[in-house]
Amino acid sequence: MGTTAGGNQDLARFMAGLVKRNPGETEFTQAVQEVAETVLPFQLAHPEYAKAQILQRMTEPDRIVSFRVTWQDDQGNIRANRAWRVQFNNSIGPYKGGLRFHASVNQSILKFLGFEQTFKNALTTLPMGGAKGGANFNPKGKSDDEVMRFCQSMMIELQRHIGEDTDVPAGDIGVGAREISFLFGQYKRLANRFAGVMTGKGLSFGGSHVRTEATGYGCIYFTQNMLARLNESLEGKTCVVSGAGNVALYTVEKLLHLGAKPVTMSDSSGTIFDKNGIDEEKLAYLKHLKLVTRGRMSEYAEKYDCEYLAKKAPWCVPCDAAFPSATQNELDVDDARELLKNGCKVVAEGANMPCTRDATNAFLDAKIAYAPGKASNAGGVSVSGLEQSQNSVRASWSREEVEAKLERIMSKIHDQCVEMGEDDEGHVDYVRGANLAAFKKVGGAMLAYGAV
Ligand code: GLU
C-alpha cells in the first residue's frame, strides 16, 4: 500500500509542504515523517480520512504559547529564559504531557514531543490529549533556590493556560519531583484552588504511587509482552541501558526484578560498563547519586571499580537487549549496526525518539523486536492519567493497585500494536502498529467532530 510510486509521491508532496511551513524544525519533521510513512497510505485508502485532511490537521498544533520567564539568580542578576506550552491535540481528552527544562529546548523539539505525545496518549486507552512544554533553562549547577524562583516565575504565566479539564503538565527531562512541587505550590497559591492540574506530585499532596517508577517499569512490561509472543523472557539476558534519570533507573530496577543483567547506564559525560551487573545495592547508590546528590556517573565507576567509557554511549557493549532511555537521536545508524552485529535482538525505547530514522529502519529491516517510545515509554503518562483519576475522585489507590493497572495498560498498548502491525508471517512492526492504532483513534474523534 505504501510502496506504490503514487504513494511515495504523495508522501514527498506532504513532507515538502510540512517542511515549508515549519522551516528549520528538524526534530518535528523527523517525528512527522515516521508517522506519515505508515499513516498517509492508510489515509489515502480511507477516503473519509483523506477528505477530512486528518493527517494534515493532526500535524498542526491547536496552539503554541510562547513566553518570557524572568527570574533572579543567587548573585542578584536578572536572568531571562524562553518558555513554551505546545497544546497539540485535545480530541480525546484534556491536553497532557510533560515539561522539559534543558538548554537545548526549542520550539521544534517541543513540537515533536507534543506530536508524539498525542499518539502515545491515545495508545494508553485513557482519555488524554497531547501537549508538551518547557524552557531553555539549564537546571545543571543551579541551586534549589534558583530552581524555585524559576519555577514560580514560569507558573505566573503558565497558570493561565492549564487546568484539570484543560491541560495537565507533568515532568520530563530536567523536571522531577522538586520542580513539580515548586510549580504546583505556585499554581495553588495563584489560583487559590487545590486541583489535579499537574501530575507527578508528592504522595502527600495528590501524587500517585508508582508515578516515579512508571516509565521504566512500563518499558520493561512492554518488553515482556514482546518477548512472551516469541516464547522468550528477560531472565538471564544482558541488557544495556542509557540515561541516568528516572526512566533509566527504574528500567534497571525492573530488569533486576525479572532476573535480567543490566550492565550499563550513562550521562552526558560517559557510560559506566559494569561487567558484573548493576545489582540492587549498586542501584540504590545510583539513585542517591543521580536524584539526591546530583553527581556524575564517573563517581560510580570509581566506587565500584568498573569500566568507564568517557564521552561514549553504551551501544558498543555486546548485549541481548538495549533500552535507550536518555534523549532524542542518541542512537544513530552506526550504533544500530553495531548493536545488531553484536547480537542484540530487542530494542525498547524508554526515551522519546532516541533512535534516528536510519537507526529505526536498520532495526525494522533486521526484524528484531523493536518498540518505538510512543508505545514502550507510555507507562509514565499512563500513571499520570491514573493520578488524574485519583485526584478527580479524591482517592488514593494502593501501590499494588496502581502497579497492576500499569501492567494491564502496557499489555493493552502492546496488543493494539500487534493488531495493527502484524504481517502475514506473524512478525510485528511495532512502529506501524502504534502509529496506525493511535491515528485511527484520534482521527476517528476528529472525523466525528466535523470541521473543527
Ligand atoms: N514526559 C513524560 C512523557 O514523555 C510524561 C508525561 C506526563 O506524565 O504527562 O510521556
Tab-separated table of all heavy atoms in Angstrom, residues 2 34 39 48-49 51 59 67 116 129 134 145 172 190 220 234 241 270 272 286 294 343 348 368 378 394 423:
chain	number	residue	atom	x	y	z
A	2	GLY	N	1.914	1.262	0.874
A	2	GLY	CA	2.712	2.472	0.999
A	2	GLY	C	3.868	2.547	0.018
A	2	GLY	O	4.554	3.545	-0.074
A	34	GLU	N	8.103	9.875	10.218
A	34	GLU	CA	7.930	8.480	10.638
A	34	GLU	C	6.451	8.086	10.676
A	34	GLU	O	6.067	7.001	10.240
A	34	GLU	CB	8.569	8.263	12.017
A	34	GLU	CG	8.481	6.825	12.477
A	34	GLU	CD	8.213	6.711	13.963
A	34	GLU	OE1	9.170	6.800	14.724
A	34	GLU	OE2	7.037	6.536	14.336
A	39	VAL	N	0.981	6.241	7.972
A	39	VAL	CA	-0.386	6.729	8.102
A	39	VAL	C	-0.940	7.316	6.797
A	39	VAL	O	-2.123	7.176	6.509
A	39	VAL	CB	-0.449	7.745	9.268
A	39	VAL	CG1	-1.668	8.598	9.181
A	39	VAL	CG2	-0.413	7.005	10.593
A	48	GLU	N	-12.709	8.824	3.683
A	48	GLU	CA	-13.304	9.734	4.679
A	48	GLU	C	-12.202	10.471	5.456
A	48	GLU	O	-12.338	11.650	5.775
A	48	GLU	CB	-14.303	8.991	5.603
A	48	GLU	CG	-13.722	7.999	6.602
A	48	GLU	CD	-13.417	6.615	6.033
A	48	GLU	OE1	-13.236	6.471	4.806
A	48	GLU	OE2	-13.311	5.666	6.840
A	49	TYR	N	-11.091	9.776	5.734
A	49	TYR	CA	-9.953	10.433	6.409
A	49	TYR	C	-9.282	11.428	5.463
A	49	TYR	O	-8.917	12.532	5.848
A	49	TYR	CB	-8.908	9.403	6.858
A	49	TYR	CG	-9.275	8.651	8.116
A	49	TYR	CD1	-10.156	7.564	8.080
A	49	TYR	CD2	-8.732	9.006	9.343
A	49	TYR	CE1	-10.498	6.864	9.232
A	49	TYR	CE2	-9.065	8.312	10.508
A	49	TYR	CZ	-9.951	7.247	10.438
A	49	TYR	OH	-10.276	6.562	11.577
A	51	LYS	N	-10.543	12.991	2.830
A	51	LYS	CA	-11.409	14.147	2.545
A	51	LYS	C	-11.357	15.147	3.714
A	51	LYS	O	-11.337	16.359	3.518
A	51	LYS	CB	-12.846	13.655	2.341
A	51	LYS	CG	-13.811	14.725	1.914
A	51	LYS	CD	-15.058	14.116	1.267
A	51	LYS	CE	-16.078	15.217	1.010
A	51	LYS	NZ	-17.128	15.264	2.030
A	59	THR	N	-1.002	17.405	12.167
A	59	THR	CA	0.390	17.870	12.213
A	59	THR	C	0.490	19.374	12.494
A	59	THR	O	1.584	19.931	12.494
A	59	THR	CB	1.129	17.534	10.892
A	59	THR	OG1	0.354	18.007	9.804
A	59	THR	CG2	1.331	16.043	10.752
A	67	PHE	N	6.483	32.305	25.873
A	67	PHE	CA	6.571	33.441	26.802
A	67	PHE	C	7.953	33.557	27.450
A	67	PHE	O	8.738	32.606	27.452
A	67	PHE	CB	5.482	33.362	27.880
A	67	PHE	CG	5.410	32.047	28.642
A	67	PHE	CD1	5.984	31.916	29.904
A	67	PHE	CD2	4.757	30.949	28.106
A	67	PHE	CE1	5.902	30.719	30.613
A	67	PHE	CE2	4.675	29.731	28.802
A	67	PHE	CZ	5.243	29.626	30.056
A	116	GLU	N	4.223	13.509	19.198
A	116	GLU	CA	4.368	12.108	19.633
A	116	GLU	C	3.457	11.809	20.823
A	116	GLU	O	2.894	10.730	20.944
A	116	GLU	CB	5.812	11.837	20.070
A	116	GLU	CG	6.801	11.866	18.950
A	116	GLU	CD	7.332	10.484	18.630
A	116	GLU	OE1	7.754	9.784	19.547
A	116	GLU	OE2	7.305	10.109	17.444
A	129	GLY	N	-5.430	14.038	25.727
A	129	GLY	CA	-4.904	14.635	24.504
A	129	GLY	C	-3.397	14.800	24.632
A	129	GLY	O	-2.791	14.354	25.607
A	134	GLY	N	7.976	23.475	28.183
A	134	GLY	CA	9.296	23.522	28.797
A	134	GLY	C	9.970	24.847	28.565
A	134	GLY	O	9.336	25.819	28.123
A	145	ASP	N	17.219	27.163	45.414
A	145	ASP	CA	16.518	28.451	45.437
A	145	ASP	C	16.343	29.024	44.031
A	145	ASP	O	15.301	29.605	43.707
A	145	ASP	CB	17.291	29.470	46.295
A	145	ASP	CG	17.098	29.197	47.778
A	145	ASP	OD1	16.190	28.415	48.110
A	145	ASP	OD2	17.866	29.749	48.592
A	172	ASP	N	9.464	15.896	32.751
A	172	ASP	CA	10.199	15.305	31.623
A	172	ASP	C	11.670	15.536	31.978
A	172	ASP	O	11.982	15.739	33.165
A	172	ASP	CB	9.790	15.982	30.301
A	172	ASP	CG	10.233	15.184	29.069
A	172	ASP	OD1	9.576	14.192	28.738
A	172	ASP	OD2	11.260	15.540	28.453
A	190	LEU	N	-1.536	30.886	43.346
A	190	LEU	CA	-2.082	31.881	42.409
A	190	LEU	C	-3.570	31.674	42.157
A	190	LEU	O	-4.335	32.624	42.070
A	190	LEU	CB	-1.340	31.798	41.059
A	190	LEU	CG	0.111	32.260	41.058
A	190	LEU	CD1	0.793	31.833	39.767
A	190	LEU	CD2	0.194	33.765	41.232
A	220	ILE	N	9.659	-2.055	30.563
A	220	ILE	CA	10.019	-3.469	30.731
A	220	ILE	C	8.785	-4.365	30.647
A	220	ILE	O	8.843	-5.464	30.077
A	220	ILE	CB	10.790	-3.677	32.062
A	220	ILE	CG1	12.080	-2.846	32.043
A	220	ILE	CG2	11.113	-5.150	32.296
A	220	ILE	CD1	12.980	-3.086	30.827
A	234	LEU	N	12.999	-12.235	29.741
A	234	LEU	CA	14.177	-11.398	30.002
A	234	LEU	C	15.188	-12.085	30.918
A	234	LEU	O	16.327	-11.623	31.056
A	234	LEU	CB	13.732	-10.068	30.623
A	234	LEU	CG	13.283	-9.007	29.624
A	234	LEU	CD1	12.476	-7.918	30.317
A	234	LEU	CD2	14.499	-8.386	28.926
A	241	VAL	N	21.480	-0.125	29.077
A	241	VAL	CA	20.533	0.958	29.317
A	241	VAL	C	21.323	2.259	29.204
A	241	VAL	O	22.447	2.339	29.704
A	241	VAL	CB	19.932	0.840	30.741
A	241	VAL	CG1	18.942	1.970	31.019
A	241	VAL	CG2	19.259	-0.521	30.946
A	270	GLY	N	29.577	10.278	29.902
A	270	GLY	CA	30.070	8.944	29.566
A	270	GLY	C	29.200	7.827	30.089
A	270	GLY	O	28.108	8.055	30.629
A	272	ILE	N	28.955	4.021	32.241
A	272	ILE	CA	29.567	3.023	33.123
A	272	ILE	C	29.241	1.648	32.549
A	272	ILE	O	28.104	1.380	32.169
A	272	ILE	CB	29.057	3.130	34.589
A	272	ILE	CG1	27.517	3.135	34.643
A	272	ILE	CG2	29.646	4.324	35.292
A	272	ILE	CD1	26.950	2.566	35.903
A	286	LEU	N	23.202	4.460	42.922
A	286	LEU	CA	22.966	5.287	41.734
A	286	LEU	C	21.767	6.227	41.923
A	286	LEU	O	21.794	7.379	41.498
A	286	LEU	CB	22.700	4.398	40.515
A	286	LEU	CG	23.949	3.849	39.827
A	286	LEU	CD1	23.572	2.793	38.807
A	286	LEU	CD2	24.728	4.974	39.150
A	294	ARG	N	22.935	14.621	42.949
A	294	ARG	CA	23.021	15.101	41.566
A	294	ARG	C	24.463	15.065	41.066
A	294	ARG	O	24.971	16.030	40.478
A	294	ARG	CB	22.382	16.510	41.436
A	294	ARG	CG	20.879	16.497	41.796
A	294	ARG	CD	20.199	17.849	41.723
A	294	ARG	NE	18.938	17.842	42.465
A	294	ARG	CZ	17.750	17.495	41.955
A	294	ARG	NH1	17.653	17.138	40.717
A	294	ARG	NH2	16.657	17.500	42.696
A	343	GLY	N	24.684	-9.006	18.184
A	343	GLY	CA	23.652	-9.986	18.534
A	343	GLY	C	22.456	-9.455	19.297
A	343	GLY	O	21.657	-10.230	19.829
A	348	ALA	N	13.910	-1.557	23.092
A	348	ALA	CA	12.674	-0.883	23.531
A	348	ALA	C	13.050	0.511	23.995
A	348	ALA	O	13.911	0.681	24.875
A	348	ALA	CB	11.991	-1.669	24.648
A	368	ILE	N	14.075	-7.379	14.206
A	368	ILE	CA	14.191	-7.706	15.631
A	368	ILE	C	12.954	-7.145	16.352
A	368	ILE	O	12.141	-6.450	15.746
A	368	ILE	CB	15.489	-7.130	16.262
A	368	ILE	CG1	15.488	-5.597	16.188
A	368	ILE	CG2	16.726	-7.707	15.591
A	368	ILE	CD1	16.461	-4.950	17.144
A	378	ALA	N	5.094	4.664	27.245
A	378	ALA	CA	3.799	5.271	27.604
A	378	ALA	C	3.379	4.997	29.050
A	378	ALA	O	2.360	5.518	29.511
A	378	ALA	CB	2.719	4.776	26.651
A	394	ARG	N	-10.844	12.283	44.481
A	394	ARG	CA	-10.178	12.500	45.768
A	394	ARG	C	-9.910	11.189	46.502
A	394	ARG	O	-10.311	10.986	47.652
A	394	ARG	CB	-11.015	13.441	46.654
A	394	ARG	CG	-11.205	14.809	46.011
A	394	ARG	CD	-11.670	15.847	47.016
A	394	ARG	NE	-12.166	17.040	46.348
A	394	ARG	CZ	-11.387	17.953	45.751
A	394	ARG	NH1	-10.091	17.813	45.739
A	394	ARG	NH2	-11.926	19.002	45.172
A	423	ASP	N	2.315	-8.827	10.316
A	423	ASP	CA	2.232	-9.178	8.894
A	423	ASP	C	1.814	-10.647	8.728
A	423	ASP	O	1.577	-11.347	9.724
A	423	ASP	CB	3.552	-8.851	8.164
A	423	ASP	CG	4.711	-9.725	8.639
A	423	ASP	OD1	4.465	-10.770	9.284
A	423	ASP	OD2	5.866	-9.353	8.369
